[in-house]
Amino acid sequence: MPNATGGQPPITGQVLFYKDPQPLSAENHGGLGVRQIAEPFAFLRAAHAVPVTVTEFGVAAASYPIIFVGDERTPVAVMGVRQGQNLFVDQNGYVFEDYYIPAFVRRYPFVFAADESSDRLLLCVDRAAPMVSNQPDVPFFENGQPSKFTTDAIEFCKEFERQRRATTDFAKIVASMDLFEQKTVTFQPRDPQGREVGPVQKVADYWAISEERLNALPAEKYVELRNNGALGACYAHLVSLLNWSKVVNRAVRTPPPGQAVS
């Protein structure tokens, strides 16, 4: 069961964004909460790829390429092509209007962590998050009990954990049917008149679902994908890859981190 008031077991591992995750407790965080800050998504600026769950593929596909990375074939939304640079967070610390914000981002500063002494999940908060304050607009606890804000956060993180597990299952199904293939996205530099300038540049190597292999599946396997709800996600992923040009073109117009606009 998720716990918001338990002890302090060790937190191990690292998760994107989180610098100092601590098990949330009334004893240690009773006076804390969250406050409005000037740049609410500034923490996202250095993330060029963000994990997404399988249930998000449909809506995320309208904004970003969704690719698979690592041995676990973890799906991520590509939000930049350079390490340390997100191309979809504006100078005011907001995600550009009409672009989807993944649940992985929206749950911050909360996250679940496994309690090593049991099979429970503990609700943690990133104590280093800029919106966590001892002068909060919304407290974590009221009269020693989790506030509605905190209980809502628990429910959000519980649902995210369910969807994360479903995403792991989805990747295993796709892998078991041998549908993954390695792909490369490239970019041809051009001058203002549209003429090719210099050699083609590689942007990224990644794993994707093969449309050819998907279409060649035996009928019973195709129906299996449909019946377990995976087929729609497969096609959403394939459609999302059309967004590579959007990301690459945005990268061309944006200098690398720390480099001034000429």
Side-chain angles (χ1 to χ4, degrees), residues 15-28:
V15 181
L16 183 67
F17 309 143
Y18 298 82
K19 297 179 180 178
D20 184 19
Q22 301 176 3
L24 188 63
S25 71
E27 178 183 1
N28 294 305

Side-chain angles (χ1 to χ4, degrees), residues 138-211:
V138 182
F140 291 144
F141 295 91
E142 295 175 338
N143 300 318
Q145 297 299 315
S147 65
K148 183 180 185 303
F149 175 78
T150 299
T151 57
D152 287 346
I154 292 173
E155 290 304 312
F156 187 91
C157 289
K158 282 170 63 177
E159 180 59 26
F160 180 86
E161 181 64 16
R162 283 191 289 268
Q163 298 304 333
R164 186 193 65 79
R165 292 175 179 174
T167 303
T168 299
D169 292 341
F170 168 80
K172 289 179 179 178
I173 291 170
V174 173
S176 72
M177 294 186 181
D178 194 28
L179 295 179
F180 283 120
E181 65 175 352
Q182 283 192 294
K183 283 193 171 186
T184 299
V185 61
T186 59
F187 165 66
Q188 173 61 65
R190 297 180 183 275
D191 65 16
Q193 287 72 43
R195 294 173 298 209
E196 295 184 2
V197 179
V200 173
Q201 298 178 11
K202 180 190 290 187
V203 174
D205 294 314
Y206 62 96
W207 290 98
I209 293 171
S210 167
E211 185 173 10

Side-chain angles (χ1 to χ4, degrees), residues 81-247:
V81 300
R82 305 181 185 102
Q83 289 281 347
Q85 184 181 47
N86 189 308
L87 298 169
F88 294 87
V89 179
D90 67 20
Q91 61 183 2
N92 297 315
Y94 285 86
V95 176
F96 287 118
E97 188 176 0
D98 297 331
Y99 283 91
Y100 179 67
I101 303 175
F104 188 97
V105 176
R106 287 182 279 120
R107 69 176 179 169
Y108 189 75
F110 297 105
V111 65
F112 270 152
D115 183 345
E116 293 184 344
S117 63
S118 69
D119 61 355
R120 297 183 310 163
L121 290 172
L122 295 169
L123 183 69
C124 298
V125 65
D126 185 2
R127 185 61 185 87
M131 67 282 294
V132 174
S133 171
N134 58 8
Q135 296 181 315
D137 296 320
V138 182
F140 291 144
F141 295 91
E142 295 175 338
N143 300 318
Q145 297 299 315
S147 65
K148 183 180 185 303
F149 175 78
T150 299
T151 57
D152 287 346
I154 292 173
E155 290 304 312
F156 187 91
C157 289
K158 282 170 63 177
E159 180 59 26
F160 180 86
E161 181 64 16
R162 283 191 289 268
Q163 298 304 333
R164 186 193 65 79
R165 292 175 179 174
T167 303
T168 299
D169 292 341
F170 168 80
K172 289 179 179 178
I173 291 170
V174 173
S176 72
M177 294 186 181
D178 194 28
L179 295 179
F180 283 120
E181 65 175 352
Q182 283 192 294
K183 283 193 171 186
T184 299
V185 61
T186 59
F187 165 66
Q188 173 61 65
R190 297 180 183 275
D191 65 16
Q193 287 72 43
R195 294 173 298 209
E196 295 184 2
V197 179
V200 173
Q201 298 178 11
K202 180 190 290 187
V203 174
D205 294 314
Y206 62 96
W207 290 98
I209 293 171
S210 167
E211 185 173 10
E212 182 179 355
R213 296 183 194 178
L214 180 62
N215 292 335
L217 278 178
E220 65 273 13
K221 291 293 186 181
Y222 194 86
V223 170
E224 180 183 336
L225 278 179
R226 184 196 66 189
N227 290 346
N228 62 26
L231 188 58
C234 290
Y235 283 116
H237 153 70
L238 290 170
V239 169
S240 81
L241 299 180
L242 299 174
N243 290 314
W244 269 120
S245 60
K246 178 192 303 180
V247 177

Side-chain angles (χ1 to χ4, degrees), residues 17-85:
F17 309 143
Y18 298 82
K19 297 179 180 178
D20 184 19
Q22 301 176 3
L24 188 63
S25 71
E27 178 183 1
N28 294 305
H29 307 104
L32 300 181
V34 293
R35 63 182 177 87
Q36 288 189 330
I37 58 175
E39 300 184 7
F41 292 104
F43 66 90
L44 184 57
R45 281 201 180 108
H48 72 293
V50 175
V52 289
T53 63
V54 66
T55 54
E56 297 179 279
F57 280 22
V59 62
S63 296
Y64 320 105
I66 299 169
I67 64 173
F68 298 86
V69 298
D71 293 339
E72 301 298 320
R73 305 292 188 266
T74 301
V76 297
V78 178
M79 303 179 76
V81 300
R82 305 181 185 102
Q83 289 281 347
Q85 184 181 47

